[in-house]
Amino acid sequence: QVQLVESGGGSVQAGGSLTLSCAASGSIDKRNMMAWFRQAAGKQREGVAFVDSYGITKVVDAVKERFTISRDKVKNTLILQMTNLQPEDTAMYYCATSTQGLFSIRWPGYDAPTQYDYWGQGTQVTVSS
């Protein structure tokens, strides 16, 4: 069993910044792929940023100039730094991990929610204009 607990969400004005944290505990393997997803009201869950089993990171094009993902393997913590936030970034943000063996962002399916078998409860980010 793996437990993921997100924190750091909140309400900010456009142009503001937030840093989300995800604390992982339980049967977590430091090589497990981890990711941040988000889901806005009425929309499908979408991947935002990923770090694979080999430490390679990827941030989706829509936010890559503004978001940074990092992983502290000692503290078992996944971080998402978000700058210049815009109203379209408003969503529930989820941390997720895949315990299905080693996985690379070079392989198809890394960004599919179905690849991830453990999820946090989410942290809300609200950006006002």
Side-chain angles (χ1 to χ4, degrees), residues 50-97:
F50 311 85
V51 54
D52 71 11
S53 300
Y54 307 96
I56 306 300
T57 61
K58 180 177 176 65
V59 179
V60 298
D61 288 346
V63 298
K64 67 180 181 179
E65 299 298 325
R66 302 184 291 115
F67 290 11
T68 302
I69 187 172
S70 60
R71 181 174 184 174
D72 185 330
K73 290 186 176 182
V74 174
K75 297 181 179 180
N76 277 340
T77 301
L78 187 70
I79 304 293
L80 184 68
Q81 294 177 291
M82 305 184 295
T83 62
N84 192 21
L85 284 161
Q86 300 300 312
E88 56 265 34
D89 296 317
T90 294
M92 185 72 80
Y93 284 71
Y94 297 92
C95 173
T97 189

Side-chain angles (χ1 to χ4, degrees), residues 7-127:
S7 61
S11 297
V12 297
Q13 290 189 328
S17 301
L18 286 172
T19 297
L20 305 184
S21 296
C22 172
S25 61
S27 302
I28 188 76
D29 187 318
K30 293 178 173 54
R31 297 168 297 176
N32 290 154
M33 184 159 184
M34 298 191 75
W36 286 99
F37 285 77
R38 67 184 181 184
Q39 187 167 17
K43 295 188 176 181
Q44 289 189 333
R45 191 168 296 190
E46 61 176 0
V48 175
F50 311 85
V51 54
D52 71 11
S53 300
Y54 307 96
I56 306 300
T57 61
K58 180 177 176 65
V59 179
V60 298
D61 288 346
V63 298
K64 67 180 181 179
E65 299 298 325
R66 302 184 291 115
F67 290 11
T68 302
I69 187 172
S70 60
R71 181 174 184 174
D72 185 330
K73 290 186 176 182
V74 174
K75 297 181 179 180
N76 277 340
T77 301
L78 187 70
I79 304 293
L80 184 68
Q81 294 177 291
M82 305 184 295
T83 62
N84 192 21
L85 284 161
Q86 300 300 312
E88 56 265 34
D89 296 317
T90 294
M92 185 72 80
Y93 284 71
Y94 297 92
C95 173
T97 189
S98 171
T99 63
Q100 300 173 42
L102 300 179
F103 208 82
S104 170
I105 60 170
R106 296 185 176 91
W107 304 344
Y110 73 91
D111 54 351
T114 53
Q115 175 62 34
Y116 299 83
D117 46 359
Y118 287 96
W119 294 79
Q121 81 288 351
T123 186
Q124 178 68 37
V125 172
T126 302
V127 185

